[in-house]
Amino acid sequence: MTTTAITNIGSLVTNDPALGDGSPLGLIENAAVVIGGDKIAWVGPADKAPAADESFDAQGRALIPGFVDSHSHLVFAGDRTQEFNARMSGRAYSAGGIRTTVAATRAASDAQLEANLVRHLDEARRQGTTTFETKSGYGLTVADEARALRIAAAHTAEVTYLGAHIVSPDYAEDPAGYVALVTGEMLSACAPYARWVDVFCEKGAFDGDQARAILTAGAAAGLIPRVHANQLSYGPGVQLAVELEAASADHCTHLTDADVDALAQAADTTVATLLPGAEFSTRAQWPDARRLIDAGATVALSTDCNPGSSYTSSMPFCIALAVRDMRMTPDEALWSATAGGARALRRTDIGIVTPGARADLALLDAPSHVHLAYRPGVPLVSAVWSKGVRAY
């Protein structure tokens, strides 16, 4: 097994308080990291680093865990530029725009869908993302949902069945019939490719009773629930996520005090995943991250990369938005984009730089992780290691 030492790290974010300065980021100044195979073998002060077969000089720059993007929609076809242009001219976003992508996705070949997925993954990796979750939800037929998950599963273990994105246009007059399909034949075809089950619990999509039926059926098939919750309006999504011990309640834009309290009490079980790219791209109300963090909830940041409401694959951009418009500190935002995302995926081997963890790392062309928010829009990621291999 070849070992590689990354030396001369000016500032290392470990997300392990026991390794570093005792803060949640576990910062170590003048640090080194040794990679052995696909794992972290050693972490500590540079002057105590053990010998390794190869070395990489970080030249005093900051090293952070690879970003964990725990919410994306990357199996799709088509373009919604006209919709975005119209919305920026004053039209409000609604869930109905998904139907445009459904039509394009159904018409695309497997090869076209996979090529588009790979293009977005490469784009994200260049920006420091080393783990991503992605969903189905743009096929809405048994065959199209199953093929979306099959394509996704060839590229990530974090695959989510989202047949309940919206009611299929084919069932516009029979929502109950579509719920029966999603919880029956479609679930049976999709479950072998997925780890998670999700539902868009929102006006214009699925109400609380429908969402409960879908998530319960998915759990019975061995899938772990997560919920698109309270994005466009107040609703039952957050409470349902907590009740069913979902791994995450995603969006969390419109929250009552009871919703915030529920997420705080379920901090060890259900993560509040915030998706600022969606608010940026729709000019909607920002989630109040400060309110959630101060209450004790666990918060993750993710891109929600999709062709309609958040067409960005950039976790650094989402960090900058979270700091500027959601009242997070730079430290909190980075933790949420790494360790927080890992919590949302119920993973302990990623989002952290500690011996035994997966060797997923991003080197910044900056002396500190604070530059991710301090210099928004600047391509600061200069090198990426994924599973111990320098990928960029």
Side-chain angles (χ1 to χ4, degrees), residues 112-132:
Q112 288 171 323
L113 292 177
E114 184 160 31
N116 194 49
L117 170 67
V118 169
R119 178 172 67 86
H120 286 95
L121 294 184
D122 288 345
E123 182 180 273
R125 189 174 294 112
R126 290 195 300 271
Q127 299 172 90
T129 297
T130 51
T131 301
F132 75 98

Side-chain angles (χ1 to χ4, degrees), residues 30-279:
N30 302 314
V33 171
V34 178
I35 299 170
D38 62 352
K39 299 288 196 301
I40 301 293
W42 184 89
V43 177
D47 59 2
K48 297 182 180 179
D53 300 317
E54 300 174 353
S55 65
F56 179 94
D57 185 355
Q59 299 179 339
R61 293 173 288 181
L63 188 71
I64 64 173
F67 296 122
V68 180
D69 191 346
S70 62
H71 183 127
S72 73
H73 304 252
L74 299 182
V75 185
F76 69 88
D79 180 90
R80 285 158 67 180
T81 304
Q82 291 182 345
E83 174 190 322
F84 176 79
N85 191 34
R87 188 166 64 238
M88 292 299 101
S89 301
R91 189 177 78 195
Y93 168 67
S94 69
I98 294 168
R99 294 176 179 83
T100 304
T101 302
V102 169
T105 302
R106 289 180 178 181
S109 68
D110 288 11
Q112 288 171 323
L113 292 177
E114 184 160 31
N116 194 49
L117 170 67
V118 169
R119 178 172 67 86
H120 286 95
L121 294 184
D122 288 345
E123 182 180 273
R125 189 174 294 112
R126 290 195 300 271
Q127 299 172 90
T129 297
T130 51
T131 301
F132 75 98
E133 176 271 359
T134 200
K135 311 175 193 294
S136 65
Y138 290 128
L140 309 186
T141 68
V142 173
D144 284 308
E145 287 295 292
R147 74 164 177 156
L149 294 171
R150 173 174 49 78
I151 290 168
H155 298 274
T156 181
E158 305 300 342
V159 179
T160 300
Y161 168 47
L162 184 59
H165 203 177
I166 59 169
V167 174
S168 168
D170 308 322
Y171 285 79
E173 305 302 320
D174 185 17
Y178 187 64
V179 171
L181 180 69
V182 169
T183 58
E185 182 184 357
M186 187 183 287
L187 174 60
S188 296
C190 290
Y193 303 108
R195 184 184 179 203
W196 310 96
V197 59
D198 199 347
V199 61
F200 190 8
C201 185
E202 186 64 65
K203 294 176 182 177
F206 298 90
D207 63 25
D209 290 339
Q210 292 168 327
R212 181 189 303 278
I214 291 162
L215 295 172
T216 301
L223 306 181
I224 307 169
R226 47 199 329 115
V227 185
H228 280 63
N230 301 50
Q231 177 189 4
L232 305 178
S233 61
Y234 295 98
V238 164
Q239 296 291 337
L240 185 61
V242 170
E243 175 194 335
L244 297 181
E245 298 186 346
S248 64
D250 297 28
H251 288 288
C252 294
T253 307
H254 299 274
L255 300 180
T256 64
D257 289 344
D259 292 332
V260 174
D261 289 344
L263 288 166
Q265 292 170 17
D268 293 334
T269 306
T270 302
V271 174
T273 299
L274 308 184
L275 310 168
E279 280 70 40

